[in-house]
Amino acid sequence: QLHLVESGGGLVQPGGSLRLSCAVSGPSLEYYTIGWFRRAPEKEREGVSCIGGRDGGEFSVNSVKGRFTISRDNAKNTVYLQMNNLKPEDTAMYYCAAGFMRNVQSMCEDPLGDYWGQGTQVTVAS
């Protein structure tokens, strides 16, 4: 049983930055792919960035490439999403999820995600 807790959301002006954190607790974390997902009002959930466990592979959706960076600190059992040059269209509730030995791209595109956090709100507005 995994437990995920997101933090770091908030209100930021366009062009600003935020770093989201996903603290993960539970057994065998190194086998889990962790992904960041978002859901904007009246839109479907979207996979943003995913990072593998032991292989460390990464995948990000085109709309955030060059602006968002996902990273993983295994010593702290935490996955980060550094978000730079934020745009109003990035406004959404952001969630992290964990999938057992999932391919990073397939997890971002189709999150069967065994475990989910409660989410953290990101609002980009002037």
Side-chain angles (χ1 to χ4, degrees):
Q1 184 82 13
L2 296 190
H3 186 57
L4 293 82
V5 179
E6 302 94 335
S7 61
L11 172 64
V12 64
Q13 293 186 344
S17 298
L18 284 174
R19 188 177 79 159
L20 305 184
S21 298
C22 174
V24 188
S25 58
S28 305
L29 296 178
E30 67 272 23
Y31 294 103
Y32 282 85
T33 297
I34 308 295
W36 282 99
F37 302 83
R38 64 187 180 186
R39 186 190 294 269
E42 301 182 359
K43 291 188 178 180
E44 293 187 356
R45 183 180 59 195
E46 175 186 35
V48 177
S49 294
C50 294
I51 189 166
R54 304 185 80 179
D55 65 2
E58 299 175 18
F59 174 85
S60 291
V61 69
N62 286 338
S63 61
V64 306
K65 284 182 178 178
R67 300 190 299 123
F68 293 9
T69 302
I70 191 170
S71 62
R72 183 171 185 149
D73 187 335
N74 290 325
K76 296 182 177 180
N77 292 335
T78 302
V79 174
Y80 302 99
L81 186 68
Q82 177 67 44
M83 305 187 296
N84 298 328
N85 190 23
L86 282 160
K87 303 176 180 180
E89 52 263 41
D90 295 316
T91 295
M93 183 72 79
Y94 283 71
Y95 302 87
C96 62
F100 186 73
M101 295 186 70
R102 292 290 310 279
N103 170 271
V104 289
Q105 182 171 351
S106 64
M107 174 144 183
C108 266
E109 293 177 346
D110 185 15
L112 300 177
D114 298 336
Y115 303 97
W116 289 84
Q118 294 300 306
T120 185
Q121 178 67 38
V122 172
T123 302
V124 184
S126 55

